[in-house]
Amino acid sequence: MGIDVHVLGTASARPTNRRDVSGSAVKCPEGIAVIDCGEGFQNRFSHQRKMLKQHEKGTTLKPGNVDVLLFTHGHLDHTWGALPWMQTMSLDHRDTPLLILGPSTGAVLDALLSGSELPKDTHPSELARQWRSWHSLGANDSGLSFPTRWVLGDINKNRWVELNAQTGKAVALDSMPQPIGWSSCKIEALQTRHSVPSCAWAIKQVGKRGKFDRLRAAELRLTEEQRMSLARGDDVTLENGDLLDADSFRGKSGSGLSVILSGDTAEGAPGLLSTATPTLLVHEATFLEAQSDKAVEHLHSTVAGAVRTAQQMKVSHLALTHYSSRIKDLETVSNEVDVGDVHLDVVCLNDGDRLRVGEDGSVSHLVFSQEGWSKRNMSPNR
Ligand SMILES: [Zn+2]
Ligand SMILES: [Zn+2]
């Protein structure tokens, strides 16, 4: 079924007449990941759901299917809608667990683990601070109808700590937890560069297992039992002592689809440049070229900077979002998109738009209007 990204807010710092603050819902085969959750997110989510019901029969977006809430950073335009939305889901008797993940610093994680005060220089927007206050406002097992897990990570070190919403105690985890029941998609945090701890989120479809090499099994005259072991992934030792490596009996697995949402970041984020090329990159483009000094100062990207990052990542499909309120129409944004002779398709997003990544690796931009969505194929060869 591929991956369907619903873009529910394309404004930066504050909402405008036509744009709301950040928040996206990424629909995967086994559930939904929400990435950022700015003020009023629940209204936009339910409006999108209503529009789908009206215009796209058979496509749903149920809050109960949201298994994980991923924060790119703690700035309030990315977080302020989460607690009220959780309270609404509780009023609706949600009972499925919700995993909440976000970036922090090593010093904050140390303080949480030792039960001491947060370091003096901790940023006001630190997620640990916000989450603790939400816990005290009822985002815990006794206040909500559904179980929650709150996990903060030092992205650079890949170190993860879980905060207990009830007791306030913190425990170190071996690895970043994945949403319950997800087997075909995996979530990954990638280091970005912003004025507070930040990360991008990658959602990767796990490569399908390659075909079992029946021919080789026949040539080796393997018994049915030996074949079954190898097919399961267990190595087999032959009577002559030779070891057959199960992995060598599976062809190369197909590389899965992947989508990355950058969150707020300066161009050339280290985690983006060092990861495998995704099928689709959704990247912030807060400023136009005329404000490039502001982009440098506040660790945001310009349109050209987002394009440069995509080109360094060798991406074929780039979608731009998170526009400063100075940007009145998207023409000014697309005018600054210059890909040279590189194969790169770039679209400028509006609230309500969708990006559909098909099983075959194709990407469509579904443009929202009051009549529903109209499809525009993104072709990297345009
Ligand atoms: Zn922002
Ligand atoms: Zn920010």
Side-chain angles (χ1 to χ4, degrees):
M1 66 159 274
I3 299 174
D4 206 357
V5 183
H6 297 258
V7 181
L8 303 180
T10 58
S12 63
R14 63 189 172 103
T16 68
N17 287 339
R18 300 160 70 199
R19 301 186 189 282
D20 268 304
V21 288
S22 294
S24 299
V26 183
K27 196 173 173 191
C28 303
E30 283 127 353
I32 299 167
V34 162
I35 300 182
D36 287 333
C37 204
E39 177 188 346
F41 181 81
Q42 59 173 321
N43 302 55
R44 308 201 287 284
F45 189 94
S46 67
H47 178 74
Q48 188 83 345
R49 189 181 174 197
K50 204 169 117 194
M51 290 299 107
L52 285 170
K53 266 192 190 153
Q54 226 168 74
H55 300 291
E56 307 263 305
K57 297 247 161 356
T59 316
T60 56
L61 202 61
K62 291 185 187 152
N65 290 344
V66 176
D67 295 317
V68 62
L69 178 47
L70 305 167
F71 290 107
T72 61
H73 63 298
H75 280 152
L76 296 189
D77 55 312
H78 295 251
T79 64
W80 205 234
L83 177 61
W85 187 39
M86 284 185 205
Q87 286 171 332
T88 299
M89 288 195 281
S90 185
L91 291 170
D92 289 341
H93 309 293
R94 178 193 167 115
D95 55 8
T96 46
L98 181 66
L99 173 65
I100 301 132
L101 301 171
S104 185
T105 66
V108 167
L109 298 188
D110 287 338
L112 293 173
L113 286 170
S114 65
S116 48
E117 299 257 308
L118 296 183
K120 288 232 156 35
D121 59 351
T122 302
H123 198 279
S125 306
E126 164 61 42
L127 282 172
R129 260 191 225 278
Q130 289 183 62
W131 289 4
R132 277 178 165 175
S133 77
W134 301 353
H135 297 161
S136 69
L137 288 166
N140 54 48
D141 284 351
S142 35
L144 296 173
S145 65
F146 55 94
T148 48
R149 284 188 76 184
W150 304 79
V151 180
L152 285 168
D154 176 357
I155 309 302
N156 232 346
K157 300 256 162 64
N158 194 21
R159 182 176 163 226
W160 298 89
V161 165
E162 179 163 3
L163 255 184
N164 186 310
Q166 213 73 26
T167 64
K169 289 226 165 74
V171 287
L173 303 177
D174 291 338
S175 58
M176 189 188 86
Q178 296 287 327
I180 295 172
W182 286 32
S183 58
S184 70
C185 278
K186 217 181 114 222
I187 290 166
E188 216 178 285
L190 306 168
Q191 184 82 51
T192 52
R193 277 201 304 137
H194 197 37
S195 45
V196 291
S198 64
C199 67
W201 290 101
I203 299 180
K204 301 182 167 178
Q205 212 164 55
V206 183
K208 291 191 181 78
R209 287 207 300 171
K211 266 204 172 130
F212 185 70
D213 192 348
R214 287 159 185 271
L215 204 67
R216 188 169 156 221
E219 278 168 1
L220 289 169
R221 297 171 192 278
L222 299 182
T223 65
E224 189 54 32
E225 201 184 326
Q226 288 168 327
R227 282 175 212 218
M228 299 249 290
S229 294
L230 290 166
R232 255 200 324 268
D234 298 332
D235 297 344
V236 164
T237 310
L238 297 178
E239 272 179 18
N240 65 9
D242 285 357
L243 180 79
L244 296 178
D245 176 13
D247 285 345
S248 71
F249 276 80
R250 290 272 178 198
K252 213 170 171 272
S253 55
S255 65
L257 312 168
S258 63
V259 171
I260 294 179
L261 284 84
S262 76
D264 292 7
T265 180
E267 69 174 276
L272 297 183
L273 299 189
S274 59
T275 195
T277 303
T279 319
L280 166 70
L281 172 67
V282 181
H283 200 285
E284 74 125 286
T286 310
F287 294 112
L288 298 172
E289 210 48 41
Q291 287 93 46
S292 55
D293 53 333
K294 280 212 156 38
V296 172
E297 187 188 340
H298 299 289
L299 296 169
H300 279 293
S301 300
T302 58
V303 176
V307 169
R308 278 191 291 270
T309 303
Q311 289 181 328
Q312 283 173 278
M313 293 170 73
K314 301 194 164 50
V315 163
S316 303
H317 304 285
L318 168 67
L320 301 176
T321 182
H322 198 270
Y323 314 115
S324 138
S325 55
R326 282 167 198 252
I327 296 176
K328 301 292 179 220
D329 62 89
L330 289 189
E331 220 182 303
T332 53
V333 176
S334 56
N335 282 345
E336 295 198 353
V337 172
D338 179 10
V339 300
D341 52 10
V342 176
H343 289 176
L344 170 63
D345 195 22
V346 186
V347 296
C348 307
L349 297 168
N350 275 315
D351 290 24
D353 282 4
R354 289 157 61 197
L355 294 157
R356 164 163 282 173
V357 180
E359 281 291 342
D360 57 355
S362 63
V363 182
S364 314
H365 178 203
L366 304 177
V367 181
F368 181 71
S369 71
Q370 285 315 310
E371 288 83 50
W373 287 270
S374 53
K375 186 168 160 181
R376 204 191 132 258
N377 273 317
M378 285 174 79
S379 124
N381 300 316
R382 192 167 54 113

